[in-house]
Structures are given as structure tokens and as C-alpha cells.
């Protein structure tokens, strides 16, 4: 097992960060302060610049990759693959380095690119990202907002073709905005009702309409759709909404693309931040010798997602562990001082945009309740926040500190990224098998293990016994120590019992015994190739 290269960097907290975002980091730092070593060298105040002129994210050496933590995470990766019979698995873990002046990226890889194959997964093996693509779309949105080319409060109607009328809500005529799309609060269903048009006349009812679903099909679907409820109120996960957002933003960057052609989504990402970060393996899905074969939960056949048309911004990208380590580090604020605007703005997607108190999902509906009917949904009370694309959990439940989350799934691949911004820690998992259950969240469990390690209290140093001065006159009494052996503080002593115990519980569930060989990979990055995209 080996740790990947360390890149020195640092993050600056800008005036654009909201008060709530600052509290997320502050809550983590407060939780750590009782259990962190007194000699901790990490800083949480004004940023400093190292000799190379590079800044670092606010972090604490309590969250560094120690040999013991490395062994724990390795066991979790191994056991997870064995438990779910996964063909190939790659993991990228970003932590602050021991000096507090940068970050380390540790990668774990195991398995093969295809079932019964001989080529082992390494850090350059590509996987379908599925819905993790939505965060890339959110990053593009943040960049264009910073450039002044769009606003979060822009009405979707502003970007619609001349003959399209975007639906509005109620007598107050409340419009649909880009912020609504980016926070899953647009009142749009998961998929448009006309999604099957992507199959074409030659193959009606095909399994995968994505490659053939064109821009005007989506615009017509939006025009003919009645909003389920007032935008900005209820939360409903919507590929429709993010597909629409990605299409709009791509057309802002490259407006001359005919509506009969796929939007220029990948070039928009490249210009915003992919090229600047050297993320040469992140692209719309294309035939590649390094792309892991997708499989169903039972390791049966799964068609490639091939989401390269109007819906690409909702789930069309592929990537590898190397690139995702870079991607996570940028969101955590590990940046060079000369980082371009698009890279600097990636961390702002973690700023809270909306408080979510009601979450809705499609219920098993009788035939007379189509997905566009509000009666098709059941809603429940919840308590979390939305950034741009990210789900934010300020209460730290299941992890122990405030954290952010986004996952992705296709017909045959699964990904997940979980971040603890206040610690400067993030985990991404990628594997070529569809999830059989939403409870399969390896990245979150690994993040919880890192947090549990960081929250461990340290023993109090034993004071050196000092003899009491001898009274005079008369014989001196026997010396009595003024100190003694200190007892290591318990979780309860630090006030971190709830957070630490919750995280440790998640870890214990995954630390089952198993056999086999686990590989930790490090590989050189291949340059971006000009492969043709499948349509």
C-alpha cells in the first residue's frame, strides 16, 4: 500500500462564504479542540503561505493518514468488495498532511476491469460517475455566476428558445430559476414524460433513451409540464432539472450549437476547470480501454450509460481515482495561489443555498397517477441543506462532524463522494456494479472512520513528581508526589461521545473478516485523448 504524491496547497476563506458555511467548519474545529494534540500545527485562522507560495485548506493534523488509519481503511475497502461481490473498486482519500501545509491523497484499488478478467483496476481505471456529474454541473454554474454571465436568480425562461414558454407557479406567477434547478426544488419530476422519444422511431421503448434525447425534446417536455408545486419549497430529486441546467449552461458557453445537436457540455467543463486541474480522464463517456465494464448488482449484463446528449449534465461523465482526488481537493480548498477563477469557485458550491424541510419521493402509484401528478408523491419532514448540487448535513449525523454528500449510480456503476470540509477530508469511491441498496455507502463509512480517528482524545502527559519542601525545624517527612499517572481521557470527558460513538459504530459494521489481495495503486496520468464521443 502506498500514499500518492502530496501536493502543497492552501485554501482562503473569502468574503463570499456565508455565515452558515463558516459555522460548518467552526463546528468541526470546536469538536476537535478537546481531543486534538496540544502540539497540533494546523491553523484555523488567517491563511499562511509556504515557501512555494501555495496556500492550504483550513484543517487539523488530527485528521492525517496514519499507519493505523490506513490499515483500517484498507480493511474496509477489502471487506466491502467481498461483501458485495464487486468486480472492480477504486477509492481516493484526501486528508491534510502532517505538517498542515498541504494535502495527501491515498488511493486503494482492488479487483479487475471486467468479470474474470486479468487486467487489474488501478488509479487510472475509469468508471461511470452517473449523478456525481451533477456536482460538475454545479461547479460550472458557480463559475459562470462568478464571471457574471448568469445569476442564480435568473429565470429559466431567459434561456429558453423563442417559441418555448416555461411554466410558472400559481396566480403569483412565480418563475422557475437556476437556483431551483441546482437545489432539486424546481417542482420537476425525476425524468420528463417524453423521455422515451430518445429511443427514436426505429427502436421504440428502448432500454436507454439518453443518447438520442435531444435539446428540443427537453424544452418541449418542460413547456408541456405543469409544476408539481411551488418552486423553492419541496425537495424532489430530479435528473430532469439537472439535465436542463447542464444544457442551459453549456449553451451559455457555446451558444451556436444547433438544438438538433448535443450541447457542448464537456468543452464547457474543460474551459471552466478540468483543463486547469489536469483532469484528463474526466469526460463524457466514450469507448476506452481503461473504462471498467458495468455490471448489474448480480454481476450480470448492464448497458453503458452513454449519457452524451441533452441529459449529459445530469449524469454523463466518466472519471478515475486520480482525477477524483484532484476534484475533491479543489472543493476542500487545497488551491495554488494562482488557481484560475473556475477552480477557486468550486468550493463555493458547498455554501448552503436552501434549507430543506420537506422531501418528496415517487410512491408506488396506480396507473391513473402519472409522475407529473402531485398525487404520485409522498413527502416527509427532513432537516438538511442544499448547496449547489451537494447535500449538506450540519448536524453531523452518521459521520460525527458537519459533512457534504453526493453519490451517483448508473445501470452498472456506482460512485459516492463524502466530504468533511472543516477537517479538510474527503473520500470518493468508484466501482463497476450498480447498487442493490441505498445503504451501500462506503465513502460515508470511510469518512466516519477518519472522523472517529480524528476525534480520539490523547492521553494527558504525566507531570514530573516534585517533592514537597521539607519543613523546619524537625525531620523532613517522606516526599509525596504532587502528580501521578494520568488516565487517558474518555470520549465522554471530551464531550465528543455522541459524535465519536456514532462514527465508530459505522466502522464496526464494515470491519468483517475477509481474504484476497488488495492493491494500492499509483499510476501516471495519460494525456487527454481526442476520442470520438458516442451519440
Amino acid at each position: 500500500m502506498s500514499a500518492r504524491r502530496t501536493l502543497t496547497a492552501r485554501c482562503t476563506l473569502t468574503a463570499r462564504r456565508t455565515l452558515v458555511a463558516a459555522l460548518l467548519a467552526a463546528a468541526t474545529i470546536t469538536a476537535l479542540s478537546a481531543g486534538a494534540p496540544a502540539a497540533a500545527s494546523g491553523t484555523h485562522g488567517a491563511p499562511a503561505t509556504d515557501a512555494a507560495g501555495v496556500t492550504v485548506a483550513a484543517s487539523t493534523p488530527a485528521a492525517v493518514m496514519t499507519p493505523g488509519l490506513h490499515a483500517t481503511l484498507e480493511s474496509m475497502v477489502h471487506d466491502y468488495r467481498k461483501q458485495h461481490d464487486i468486480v472492480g473498486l477504486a477509492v481516493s482519500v484526501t486528508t491534510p498532511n502532517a505538517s498542515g501545509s498541504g494535502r495527501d491523497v491515498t488511493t486503494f484499488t482492488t479487483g479487475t476491469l471486467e468479470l474474470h478478467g486479468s487486467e487489474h483496476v488501478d488509479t487510472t481505471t475509469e468508471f461511470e460517475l452517473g449523478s456525481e456529474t451533477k456536482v460538475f454541473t454545479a461547479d460550472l454554474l458557480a463559475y459562470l455566476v462568478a464571471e457574471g454571465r448568469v445569476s442564480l436568480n435568473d429565470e429559466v425562461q431567459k434561456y429558453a428558445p423563442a417559441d418555448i414558454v416555461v411554466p410558472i407557479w400559481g396566480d403569483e406567477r412565480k418563475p422557475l430559476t437556476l437556483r431551483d434547478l441546482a437545489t432539486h426544488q424546481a417542482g420537476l419530476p425525476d425524468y420528463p414524460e417524453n423521455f422515451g422519444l430518445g429511443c427514436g422511431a426505429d427502436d421504440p421503448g428502448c432500454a436507454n433513451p439518453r443518447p438520442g434525447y435531444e435539446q428540443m425534446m427537453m424544452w418541449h417536455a418542460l413547456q408541456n409540464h405543469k409544476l408539481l408545486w411551488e418552486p423553492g419549497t419541496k425537495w424532489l430529486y430530479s435528473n430532469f432539472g439537472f439535465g436542463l441546467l447542464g444544457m442551459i449552461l453549456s449553451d451559455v458557453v457555446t451558444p451556436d450549437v444547433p438544438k438538433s445537436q448535443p450541447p457542448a457540455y464537456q468543452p464547457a467543463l474543460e474551459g471552466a476547470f478540468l483543463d486547469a486541474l489536469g483532469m484528463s480522464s474526466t469526460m463524457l463517456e466514450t469507448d476506452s480501454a481503461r473504462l471498467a465494464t458495468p455490471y448489474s448488482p448480480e454481476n450480470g449484463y448492464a448497458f453503458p450509460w452513454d449519457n452524451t446528449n441533452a441529459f449529459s449534465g445530469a449524469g454523463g461523465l466518466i472519471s478515475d481515482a486520480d482525477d477524483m482526488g484532484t476534484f475533491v481537493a479543489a472543493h476542500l480548498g487545497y488551491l495554488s495561489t494562482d488557481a484560475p477563477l473556475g477552480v477557486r469557485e468550486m468550493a463555493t458550491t458547498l455554501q448552503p443555498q436552501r434549507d430543506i424541510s420537506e422531501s418528496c419521493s415517487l410512491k408506488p402509484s396506480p396507473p391513473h397517477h402519472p409522475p407529473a401528478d402531485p398525487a404520485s408523491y409522498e413527502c416527509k419532514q427532513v432537516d438538511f441543506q442544499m448547496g449547489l448540487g451537494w447535500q449538506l448535513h450540519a448536524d453531523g449525523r452518521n459521520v460525527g462532524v458537519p459533512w457534504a454528500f453526493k453519490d451517483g449510480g448508473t445501470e452498472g456503476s456506482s460512485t459516492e463522494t463524502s466530504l468533511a470540509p472543516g477537517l479538510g477530508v474527503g473520500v470518493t469511491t468508484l466501482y463497476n456494479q450498480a447498487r442493490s441498496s441505498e445503504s451501500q455507502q462506503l465513502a460515508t463509512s470511510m469518512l466516519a472512520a477518519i472522523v472517529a480517528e480524528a476525534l480520539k482524545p490523547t492521553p494527558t502527559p504525566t507531570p514530573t513528581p516534585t517533592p514537597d519542601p521539607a519543613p523546619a525545624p524537625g525531620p523532613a517527612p517522606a516526599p509525596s508526589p504532587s502528580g501521578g499517572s494520568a488516565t487517558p481521557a474518555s470520549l465522554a470527558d471530551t464531550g465528543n461521545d455522541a459524535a465519536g460513538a456514532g462514527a465508530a459504530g459505522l466502522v464496526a459494521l464494515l470491519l468483517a473478516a475477509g481474504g484476497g489481495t488488495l492493491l494500492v495503486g499509483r499510476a501516471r496520468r495519460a494525456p487527454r485523448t481526442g476520442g470520438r464521443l458516442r451519440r
Side-chain angles (χ1 to χ4, degrees):
M1 303 294 171
S2 64
R4 291 187 54 224
R5 63 183 179 279
T6 300
L7 301 178
T8 57
R10 95 183 209 120
C11 107
T12 50
L13 297 179
T14 67
R16 299 190 54 182
R17 293 196 179 276
T18 64
L19 175 62
V20 181
L23 290 175
L24 288 178
T28 298
I29 296 163
T30 301
L32 285 166
S33 60
S41 59
T43 59
H44 301 288
T49 303
D50 66 10
V54 176
T55 57
V56 294
S59 59
T60 171
V64 299
M65 182 63 68
T66 63
L69 178 60
H70 188 285
T72 296
L73 300 180
E74 177 185 350
S75 295
M76 295 176 73
V77 171
H78 169 83
D79 294 342
Y80 188 84
R81 179 181 174 234
K82 180 179 179 182
Q83 177 185 356
H84 298 287
D85 193 25
I86 292 170
V87 177
L89 172 63
V91 180
S92 174
V93 181
T94 301
T95 55
N97 62 24
S99 69
S101 63
R103 52 97 167 178
D104 290 333
V105 175
T106 306
T107 54
F108 304 88
T109 63
T110 179
T112 55
L113 272 69
E114 59 183 352
L115 191 64
H116 308 307
S118 59
E119 185 173 358
H120 290 280
V121 169
D122 63 23
T123 61
T124 67
T125 300
E126 295 167 329
F127 296 85
E128 296 171 333
L129 290 185
S131 285
E132 279 217 52
T133 302
K134 292 178 174 65
V135 177
F136 289 78
T137 299
D139 292 331
L140 178 59
L141 174 60
Y143 165 62
L144 294 176
V145 168
E147 279 207 325
R149 301 172 70 178
V150 305
S151 167
L152 292 178
N153 294 323
D154 280 349
E155 298 180 15
V156 173
Q157 182 68 64
K158 176 179 177 179
Y159 302 100
D163 59 341
I164 295 295
V165 178
V166 176
I168 55 178
W169 176 260
D171 294 337
E172 62 271 29
R173 302 183 65 79
K174 185 173 182 179
L176 193 60
T177 69
L178 299 187
R179 194 193 308 268
D180 296 328
L181 298 179
T183 57
H184 295 292
Q185 288 192 300
L188 296 174
D190 197 6
Y191 285 93
E193 289 188 89
N194 69 349
F195 197 48
L197 293 179
C199 290
D202 295 336
D203 187 17
C206 67
N208 186 20
R210 291 166 186 81
Y213 194 77
E214 299 178 352
Q215 295 195 59
M216 287 309 300
M217 294 177 182
M218 188 180 294
W219 281 117
H220 285 130
L222 180 64
Q223 178 172 253
N224 296 327
H225 178 76
K226 183 178 179 180
L227 299 180
L228 290 167
W229 39 71
E230 180 182 352
T233 56
K234 301 179 182 182
W235 189 90
L236 173 64
Y237 192 87
S238 177
N239 280 287
F240 187 0
F242 257 91
L244 178 62
L245 179 62
M247 184 178 69
I248 288 171
L249 300 178
S250 301
D251 288 344
V252 167
V253 176
T254 312
D256 57 347
V257 174
K259 292 295 187 284
S260 59
Q261 298 297 318
Y265 180 69
Q266 182 176 323
L269 297 183
E270 290 170 356
F273 53 85
L274 288 183
D275 286 350
L277 290 171
M279 295 177 62
S280 59
S281 293
T282 303
M283 63 188 76
L284 287 176
E285 187 168 356
T286 184
D287 292 324
S288 168
R290 294 188 292 139
L291 182 61
T293 301
Y295 293 99
S296 71
E298 298 78 26
N299 289 331
Y301 170 78
F303 60 79
W305 212 228
D306 206 10
N307 192 352
T308 57
N309 210 318
F311 250 73
S312 55
L317 295 177
I318 60 175
S319 191
D320 63 17
D322 279 341
D323 274 13
M324 291 306 292
T326 300
F327 180 73
V328 165
H331 283 90
L332 293 173
Y334 294 100
L335 306 175
S336 63
T337 53
D338 60 349
L341 180 64
V343 175
R344 298 197 307 269
E345 288 300 310
M346 294 169 75
T348 68
T349 61
L350 291 163
Q351 295 176 5
Q353 297 291 333
R354 294 273 175 82
D355 293 327
I356 308 300
S357 60
E358 192 170 7
S359 172
C360 304
S361 59
L362 189 66
K363 61 186 178 183
S365 303
H368 60 277
H369 283 317
D373 183 350
S376 299
Y377 297 88
E378 53 188 3
C379 302
K380 61 182 180 180
Q381 297 301 304
V382 294
D383 182 15
F384 66 94
Q385 294 173 310
M386 281 298 299
L388 297 178
W390 293 99
Q391 294 181 42
L392 309 176
H393 300 282
D395 60 5
R397 61 180 177 272
N398 300 328
V399 169
V401 295
W403 60 294
F405 172 79
K406 186 70 193 84
D407 63 354
T410 68
E411 187 75 9
S413 297
S414 301
T415 65
E416 180 188 352
T417 294
S418 294
L419 311 177
L423 283 172
V425 173
V427 182
T428 292
T429 58
L430 311 101
Y431 54 92
N432 56 340
Q433 183 191 85
R435 283 187 191 84
S436 60
S437 168
E438 288 300 319
S439 64
Q440 284 184 233
Q441 294 181 349
L442 175 60
T444 302
S445 298
M446 293 179 71
L447 181 65
I450 298 170
V451 170
E453 182 71 17
L455 293 179
K456 279 184 178 179
T458 54
T460 303
T462 302
T464 302
T466 303
D468 290 335
S480 62
S482 60
S485 298
T487 302
S490 67
L491 285 176
D493 294 334
T494 69
N496 293 324
D497 50 331
L506 278 176
V507 177
L509 291 175
L510 289 170
L511 293 179
T517 302
L518 182 68
L519 305 176
V520 174
R522 183 203 328 216
R524 294 179 181 173
R525 188 75 106 334
R528 188 186 298 280
T529 59
R532 294 177 58 86
L533 300 178
R534 288 183 292 159
R535 304 302 186 195

